[in-house]
Amino acid sequence: MAKTSTTTQGLRAAIERSGYYPALVAEAVEAAVGGDPIRSYLVHQETTFDQNEVRRHVTVLVLTDHRFIVSHTDEQAADSTSPTPYATTSTESVKLSRISSIVVSRVVANPESYAPGTLPREVVLTIGWGAVSRIDLEPAACGDPNCEADHGYTGNSTADDLSLRVSEAGDGPETVRQALAFAQALSEATADTAR
């Protein structure tokens, strides 16, 4: 990773601001990015509650000229496999040409008085590239309410490789802005590869 790049320095600073094992997360991301220049990034640290445990994890999304990189780090409490707490970090590098779907869902308050440029209170970014698909099936039926024939099943297959939710209340307005900027940059980059 080019250490002189302003974008690279911004990414490193965002990872450090997250406060979530920054040395571990940064090393994994830097190894995945390699020498590619960074076009855009998003760092999202989230805390979840799992029964009686509080769990934290961080997701880092990076866009380069030719790849979309996802890094995810989770912490785990000591358990029967490890006497001490541990963290697991994984990275995935996806060619931009493989990205098949980018969905940006915006939640806005008082839509009747919405003004362009107003920050949504929540953004959900869903990106699909074919690694994970969800299939929802239900019994098929015909229009005859008295029909007892077996019509098989009908359903939908949805690419659901990554879904990330950021909110102004939980993550702050800057993270919401960054999510929108990243989504736009990724959308533009995938449009460029389709031409």
Side-chain angles (χ1 to χ4, degrees):
M1 187 181 290
K3 301 298 180 198
T4 58
S5 166
T6 303
T7 306
T8 301
Q9 292 170 354
L11 172 57
R12 182 68 184 238
I15 290 170
E16 289 175 5
R17 269 193 312 277
S18 79
Y20 186 81
Y21 307 121
L24 173 65
V25 172
E27 181 179 56
V29 171
E30 288 174 4
V33 171
D36 290 357
I38 296 171
R39 292 172 65 172
S40 186
Y41 62 86
L42 175 63
V43 177
H44 183 248
Q45 193 268 329
E46 184 176 21
T47 303
T48 57
F49 300 95
D50 183 16
Q51 296 179 6
N52 295 333
E53 294 182 13
V54 176
R55 293 187 182 228
R56 299 181 306 155
H57 56 96
V58 68
T59 303
V60 179
L61 309 180
V62 178
L63 174 62
T64 72
D65 289 339
H66 305 287
R67 298 181 297 146
F68 164 64
I69 297 165
V70 181
S71 176
H72 189 80
T73 303
D74 282 303
E75 67 182 354
Q76 306 292 328
D79 58 23
S80 60
T81 63
S82 176
T84 60
Y86 60 98
T88 304
T89 299
S90 62
T91 57
E92 182 172 3
S93 178
V94 180
K95 287 183 182 179
L96 290 179
S97 60
R98 287 200 46 218
I99 294 179
S100 57
S101 173
I102 301 167
V103 179
V104 181
S105 300
R106 301 166 190 240
V107 177
V108 298
N110 303 314
E112 69 282 353
S113 60
Y114 177 79
T118 302
L119 197 62
R121 70 177 190 201
E122 181 178 307
V123 171
V124 179
L125 174 59
T126 305
I127 303 167
W129 58 90
V132 178
S133 292
R134 180 182 66 231
I135 298 177
D136 296 319
L137 294 175
E138 62 184 39
C142 67
D144 180 358
N146 297 318
C147 180
E148 295 181 11
D150 182 356
H151 295 287
Y153 289 88
T154 186
N156 296 311
S157 176
T158 308
D160 197 17
D161 295 306
L162 173 77
S163 190
L164 191 74
R165 177 187 169 269
V166 296
S167 70
E168 188 175 27
D171 304 297
E174 189 52 41
T175 303
V176 174
R177 275 188 204 88
Q178 189 73 33
L180 290 170
F182 183 85
Q184 182 173 348
L186 182 61
S187 183
E188 290 169 358
T190 56
D192 288 345
T193 62
R195 291 185 187 137

